[in-house]
Amino acid sequence: MENQNKVYQEVAEECSQYCPCGCDHSVKNVSTGDDTKAPSCLNCKHFSVSEQHCQLDLYDQIVTNL
């Protein structure tokens, strides 16, 4: 799951449609003790947590280019 969280963060950083929803599903940088929420697909309003995919269908396009 840790690798998937890293991918979600990298995708969100590259996504032109990333829009934080205010949900508390975000990844936090535990290694540095920084509690600031990092960009992540998990806290984007376009990501369906229950279905585990981007509703805009941008995820696969971005992952392919990473």
Side-chain angles (χ1 to χ4, degrees):
M1 182 71 172
E2 184 177 321
N3 284 341
Q4 186 64 43
N5 286 341
K6 182 174 171 38
V7 172
Y8 283 153
Q9 181 176 351
E10 290 173 355
V11 169
E13 290 171 350
E14 297 295 321
C15 184
S16 63
Q17 297 298 313
Y18 172 70
C19 183
C21 67
C23 298
D24 195 22
H25 301 289
S26 62
V27 179
K28 296 182 182 180
N29 190 345
V30 178
S31 63
T32 64
D34 183 5
D35 240 9
T36 305
K37 294 178 183 177
S40 173
C41 293
L42 296 174
N43 63 11
C44 178
K45 74 176 187 175
H46 303 295
F47 189 80
S48 170
V49 175
S50 63
E51 296 177 24
Q52 295 292 306
H53 72 85
C54 175
Q55 296 169 347
L56 299 178
D57 201 22
L58 297 172
Y59 180 87
D60 290 335
Q61 295 171 18
I62 295 169
V63 169
T64 301
N65 293 324
L66 286 179

